[in-house]
């Protein structure tokens, strides 16, 4: 069995795919956002069909960017946590004023 750290390092695990908003307000916000996007898409399709492809492309860009931001935040947080663990493990508890 491969190590989970191996899978994470080599991109076999996508931490953002496990993300679920914890706050009820955040879940409600996301639901309203997606409902609004669906409504806008329907209206564009009905009244301005030539803009539908542009809307889809802009939406895709926004979702890709959000995913990259989430992945970057995870990597920075994971790295910070690993450094904290290493520092705690290597601390000289006998030293004063550290």
């Amino acid at each position: 069995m491969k190590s989970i750290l191996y899978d994470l390092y080599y991109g076999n695990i996508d931490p953002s795919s496990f993300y679920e908003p914890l706050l009820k307000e955040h879940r409600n916000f996301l639901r309203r956002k997606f409902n609004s996007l669906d409504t806008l898409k329907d209206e564009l399709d009905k009244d301005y069909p030539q803009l539908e492809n542009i809307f889809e492309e802009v939406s895709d860009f926004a979702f890709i960017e959000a995913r990259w931001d989430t992945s970057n935040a995870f990597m920075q947080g994971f790295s910070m946590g690993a450094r904290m663990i290493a520092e705690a493990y290597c601390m000289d508890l006998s030293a004063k004023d550290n």
Side-chain angles (χ1 to χ4, degrees):
M1 184 167 99
K2 281 193 274 185
S3 156
I4 192 166
L5 290 176
Y6 176 91
D7 282 341
L8 182 64
Y9 181 80
Y10 287 101
N12 299 329
I13 296 174
D14 179 12
S16 65
S17 67
F18 301 109
Y19 174 73
E20 183 177 323
L22 297 176
L23 297 175
K24 181 180 179 182
E25 293 85 1
H26 190 192
R27 288 191 302 272
N28 289 338
F29 171 81
L30 290 175
R31 186 174 20 265
R32 288 179 51 213
K33 178 178 112 174
F34 288 119
N35 286 342
S36 294
L37 287 171
D38 287 341
T39 300
L40 178 59
K41 185 179 181 312
D42 291 342
E43 291 298 316
L44 284 174
D45 188 33
K46 182 172 50 175
D47 297 334
Y48 303 97
Q50 70 276 13
L51 296 179
E52 185 179 4
N53 289 338
I54 296 170
F55 173 75
E56 287 290 329
E57 186 176 37
V58 169
S59 295
D60 289 345
F61 289 154
F63 289 122
I64 290 168
E65 181 181 25
R67 187 170 180 181
W68 285 342
D69 288 343
T70 301
S71 294
N72 190 31
F74 172 82
M75 288 186 292
Q76 289 177 2
F78 188 90
S79 177
M80 186 185 316
R83 288 193 320 260
M84 293 167 82
I85 290 170
E87 183 178 321
Y89 182 75
C90 295
M91 279 179 75
D92 181 2
L93 297 178
S94 65
K96 294 186 188 229
D97 299 327
N98 276 347

